Amino acid sequence: MTLLLVERGAPGLEIEPQPPAAGEPLFSLRLDGVEVPEEAVVGEPGEGWPHLERLLARGAALKAAELVGIGQAALDLTLSYAKERTQFGRPIGSFQAVHRHCADIYREVVESRLLAYRAAWSLDRSGGDPSAGDAGRAVAAAKAKASEAMPWATRLAHQVHGGVGFYRDYPLEIFTRRAVSAAAAYGDARYHRRRLAAAL
């Protein structure tokens, strides 16, 4: 694999905006007969994979952290809603089923946060090299956990909120879409579980 730097306005390069899945800008790139000078090669020809692997590991670690932030925001919103929304003459947060849902969301956020911290710390210690020490395993564990747990946590938050959680102008709706989008980026839970299993 060889990595090349391609200028934005290069002849033959087409950049087309795509509909955003969760508010973030997305583009498709099409390269047709694009020519680049020799100095556009990153590193040595045929030696691009280690560079790309470092970027993918950082991206996965950062997406795990982003997923934790999404989960924490969903938890905060859910706890606030459970304290304010009343049903049968009392706040819905006083019901055991709601207690359980909130506790489950909290557990998943805390576990995912610890793994995300470990991934960032391990990558930092390895100088960003996922093949050094346990950095690759830590990143895979963090991304696998967060990619599975945070979309699940937002779905559980919807159960507490009921119909209001699906309103387009209510934050939980965007948290859910962001969680699903971030879970797929840089490898989903299944991909990172396989990487973790192979590294053990």
Side-chain angles (χ1 to χ4, degrees), residues 15-21 24-29:
I15 302 173
E16 185 178 334
Q18 298 296 307
E24 76 282 7
L26 297 174
F27 300 89
S28 70
L29 303 178

Side-chain angles (χ1 to χ4, degrees), residues 8 16 51 60 84 94 117 136 159 163 170 183 187 200:
R8 183 181 177 97
E16 185 178 334
H51 300 292
E84 295 170 5
S94 65
Y117 283 164
Q159 290 184 29
Y170 195 71
L200 295 177

Side-chain angles (χ1 to χ4, degrees), residues 17-193:
Q18 298 296 307
E24 76 282 7
L26 297 174
F27 300 89
S28 70
L29 303 178
R30 184 169 181 270
L31 293 93
D32 184 10
V34 175
E35 295 183 15
V36 294
E38 189 175 320
E39 57 268 17
V41 175
V42 177
E44 296 296 322
E47 300 294 325
W49 177 246
H51 300 292
L52 187 58
E53 190 176 30
R54 285 172 174 254
L55 291 174
L56 292 173
R58 285 184 180 180
L62 290 170
K63 280 296 175 184
E66 179 184 342
L67 281 158
V68 170
I70 292 166
Q72 183 65 57
L75 174 62
D76 293 344
L77 187 67
T78 302
L79 292 174
S80 177
Y81 183 79
K83 290 174 185 174
E84 295 170 5
R85 175 75 165 98
T86 58
Q87 192 68 15
F88 307 111
R90 58 184 177 149
I92 64 170
S94 65
F95 296 108
Q96 185 176 4
V98 175
H99 285 177
R100 181 177 174 188
H101 287 341
C102 292
D104 285 346
I105 297 169
Y106 174 79
R107 181 195 67 234
E108 296 299 325
V109 169
V110 169
E111 289 175 4
S112 296
R113 179 180 291 118
L114 292 173
L115 288 169
Y117 283 164
R118 173 70 186 202
W121 179 79
S122 296
L123 270 180
D124 184 59
R125 286 195 63 195
S126 74
D129 183 359
S131 64
D134 74 339
R137 292 189 301 271
V139 170
K143 186 61 168 66
K145 174 64 179 177
S147 291
E148 195 166 70
M150 295 303 98
W152 178 84
T154 58
R155 288 193 300 272
L156 207 54
H158 277 284
Q159 290 184 29
V160 174
H161 282 81
V164 71
F166 292 95
Y167 290 173
R168 284 292 231 186
D169 59 348
Y170 195 71
L172 186 56
E173 189 270 342
I174 188 66
F175 296 160
T176 302
R177 287 191 290 128
R178 292 287 301 271
V180 170
S181 176
Y186 298 97
D188 63 5
R190 180 182 299 176
Y191 170 81
H192 283 285
R193 277 197 300 270

